Amino acid sequence: MPPLIATATATTDPLELVDELLQPLLQLDAEEGLESLQEQLQEFSHQQWSHLLECVPNNLRLRLWSLIAPQDQWRVIAELQWETARNLIHTLNDDDRRTIQANADPQDLIAFADLLPRDMVDAILLDLDEDTSEELQQALSYSDEQVGRYMQRNILRVRSGISVDAVLKRLQKREFVTAVFLVDDERQLLGHIPVASLFCNSPEAQVDELAESISELDHEEDLFEATNHISLEGEIAYLPVTRQQKVIGALSVATLFNEVRDDLAIATLSESPSHEEDLFSPVKSAAKLRALWLSINLVTAFLASWVIGLFEAALQQVVALAILMPVVASMGGIAGSQTLAVTLRGLALKHIHSANIRLLLNKESLVAAINGVLIGMLIALVVGWWFDSPALGIIIWLAVVINNLAAAVSGTYIPFILEKLHIDPAVASAVILTTVTDVVGFSIFLGLGSLVFL
């Protein structure tokens, strides 16, 4: 087999190199081995590997995973989106999981624990020394949005009245100290002592003279709220963390900003109906997560139908069709917006290309068909009982299924085409999508209704 990326050697952007590899890679048959790509892929960075895994369906991810060097796998996981990493790890076999465990970075466990299976977390903790394991377990007792999850406990607490020389001697005995805090006899915060000032003052000076005021964080405080304690004018690298007003650790300002930045990026990019839905997440999982919002929308759709039903006297012969039109349109609109959100995020992250758009369409169409058939059956039963007309129930079931499929196609291709035309898909996609689902939904529903009842 000729080298798949031989023509991409002049590419300067490392992600462009991945994009050029994507088309021929997706054209490989399921039986074709990937060993011939080992030489070309072994120079891939962690970022390139993660970008490639984000752009391919799960079965190909597993094949590519075998080409990643074991010592690099943990770092590749760190670059993946949360839901993609979770899906990947849960589909790996036991041997691959043990390889990840053997190369796990204990400090990264704080960030990754929620996406790893519980048995993997326990196995990693058992391989650590007692002190490190206990410290990590204490960190994991907090949620990933609390200050205590990320605080460091290797701080030095000193009391009033001692000399700079005494503090320096204590620092020499410690392997690593992130920050020095002045506390009273109850370990309550009195101030922060810059480490540099300890070396710039007389050894006989007292630490009280060097202490500076500093804001403290409660160990259960939310990370976003914690940013309000940071002064842009100061040069403080660590903020003290307290429990019941006693200093128990320190939080790095850099860590705080990194976590908040990542959460803001997720919030900006993620408009999907599920929590961080993966571009190629399993159909069963995607359908289950979205069905909840489709069912909630069903309630509001019937409410709109009830309002239209108040005008029954004016509508006369076509009253049933008029009352139920919003149900068909609304179900298609919501299904389309769910697909649209996933596609927009994939485009924003540059995970969707001409090479894999058809794979995404196949997945979205299958999700739409499953939800359309199941929820359409529920609607059909309600409609058949409400209007005492099984035929009307079958008509609306067919309309919901077909409109859901139209919504999946529209939600996948509309933003993709708009981006190719250099039109902002985030602004224009919803307008076109709504038009498509309304036109298709009303045409199918009223067309079938006219054939049967008129």
Side-chain angles (χ1 to χ4, degrees):
M1 180 184 298
L4 294 182
I5 56 175
T7 60
T9 53
T11 302
T12 56
D13 185 347
L15 296 187
E16 288 183 9
L17 191 67
V18 178
D19 295 342
E20 292 185 28
L21 170 65
L22 188 59
Q23 179 70 42
L25 184 63
L26 291 173
Q27 291 176 344
L28 290 176
D29 294 330
E31 292 76 18
E32 289 188 74
L34 297 173
E35 292 78 7
S36 58
L37 300 178
Q38 181 71 53
E39 183 177 351
Q40 291 120 310
L41 294 174
Q42 65 182 359
E43 299 299 326
F44 265 27
S45 65
H46 304 141
Q47 184 185 22
Q48 287 174 306
W49 270 119
S50 66
H51 186 70
L52 180 60
L53 293 175
E54 295 278 7
C55 295
V56 299
N58 197 55
N59 61 331
L60 186 53
R61 283 177 186 164
L62 294 177
R63 297 171 65 193
L64 289 169
W65 185 257
S66 63
L67 300 183
I68 303 176
Q71 65 272 18
D72 294 332
Q73 291 179 349
W74 186 263
R75 298 263 57 85
V76 171
I77 290 175
E79 296 283 346
L80 293 172
Q81 291 187 80
W82 195 94
E83 186 68 13
T84 304
R86 190 188 69 84
N87 284 333
L88 176 62
I89 291 172
H90 281 263
T91 54
L92 294 176
N93 59 41
D94 292 339
D95 290 338
D96 288 334
R97 289 188 184 183
R98 281 191 286 269
T99 300
I100 295 175
Q101 291 170 196
N103 292 279
D105 186 335
Q107 293 305 316
D108 286 339
L109 192 62
I110 294 175
F112 297 162
D114 290 339
L115 65 86
L116 298 175
R118 185 62 202 180
D119 59 330
M120 284 187 66
V121 176
D122 293 340
I124 295 172
L125 290 174
L126 286 174
D127 289 338
L128 303 174
D129 62 79
E130 185 176 348
D131 291 340
T132 303
S133 178
E134 181 180 356
E135 182 176 335
L136 287 177
Q137 289 184 61
Q138 290 178 355
L140 295 176
S141 66
Y142 297 93
S143 75
D144 60 358
E145 296 178 351
Q146 290 181 308
V147 165
R149 179 80 169 240
Y150 307 97
M151 73 174 177
Q152 300 183 29
R153 292 172 172 78
N154 50 344
I155 62 172
L156 181 62
R157 292 178 288 259
V158 298
R159 290 182 171 83
S160 300
I162 67 172
S163 66
V164 170
D165 184 57
V167 176
L168 290 175
K169 288 180 180 179
R170 290 179 61 183
L171 285 174
Q172 292 175 354
K173 296 178 181 179
R174 302 279 292 272
E175 182 177 351
F176 178 69
V177 173
T178 57
V180 181
F181 299 114
L182 182 66
V183 298
D184 60 17
D185 292 339
E186 299 295 327
R187 295 203 315 186
Q188 294 187 358
L189 182 69
L190 297 177
H192 163 250
I193 302 176
V195 175
S197 66
L198 295 171
F199 295 92
C200 299
N201 284 272
S202 169
E204 290 75 24
Q206 291 190 342
V207 292
D208 305 61
E209 303 171 9
L210 310 180
E212 300 177 358
S213 61
I214 188 174
S215 298
E216 60 187 75
L217 307 176
D218 184 78
H219 66 121
E220 295 181 337
E221 188 168 357
D222 183 87
L223 288 174
F224 278 95
E225 295 179 0
T227 58
N228 296 326
H229 297 272
I230 299 175
S231 173
L232 298 179
E233 298 178 357
E235 298 180 354
I236 296 175
Y238 291 89
L239 294 171
V241 179
T242 62
R243 181 173 58 219
Q244 297 178 346
Q245 298 183 330
K246 296 182 179 181
V247 179
I248 60 172
L251 177 67
S252 165
V253 173
T255 298
L256 175 60
F257 274 125
N258 285 336
E259 293 300 324
V260 171
R261 179 198 60 193
D262 292 344
D263 286 346
L264 286 174
I266 291 173
T268 301
L269 293 173
S270 177
E271 296 292 339
S272 67
S274 61
H275 174 66
E276 277 292 294
E277 184 179 329
D278 174 16
L279 187 64
F280 291 106
S281 58
V283 170
K284 182 178 179 181
S285 299
K288 180 180 179 181
L289 289 169
R290 298 187 200 179
L292 171 63
W293 293 104
L294 286 172
S295 300
I296 293 173
N297 175 72
L298 179 59
V299 176
T300 61
F302 273 115
L303 178 61
S305 297
W306 175 78
V307 173
I308 296 174
L310 296 177
F311 301 91
E312 181 175 352
L315 296 172
Q316 295 181 357
Q317 295 183 358
V318 291
V319 60
L321 297 177
I323 291 173
L324 295 170
M325 282 193 302
V327 176
V328 178
S330 180
M331 294 303 294
I334 292 298
S337 66
Q338 292 175 332
T339 298
L340 183 64
V342 174
T343 306
L344 285 173
R345 190 178 60 193
L347 290 172
L349 295 171
K350 301 188 184 303
H351 293 160
I352 295 179
H353 308 273
S354 300
N356 63 359
I357 187 68
R358 178 60 67 88
L359 293 173
L360 179 60
L361 174 63
N362 293 341
K363 174 231 174 179
E364 291 298 324
S365 297
L366 190 52
V367 172
I370 291 173
N371 281 330
V373 169
L374 296 179
I375 297 180
M377 290 175 63
L378 175 60
I379 297 172
L381 291 173
V382 173
V383 168
W385 170 80
W386 186 4
F387 293 97
D388 193 22
S389 174
L392 186 58
I394 295 174
I395 289 173
I396 197 170
W397 176 73
L398 288 172
V400 168
V401 173
I402 295 173
N403 206 22
N404 265 29
L405 291 173
V409 175
S410 303
T412 302
Y413 270 108
I414 287 174
F416 182 74
I417 294 173
L418 289 175
E419 186 181 65
K420 295 294 184 183
L421 296 175
H422 304 291
I423 300 173
D424 186 0
V427 174
S429 296
V431 177
I432 302 175
L433 175 68
T434 301
T435 303
V436 171
T437 55
D438 283 352
V439 170
V440 172
F442 291 153
S443 298
I444 297 297
F445 182 58
L446 296 179
L448 290 174
S450 298
L451 291 174
V452 173
F453 297 110
L454 299 180

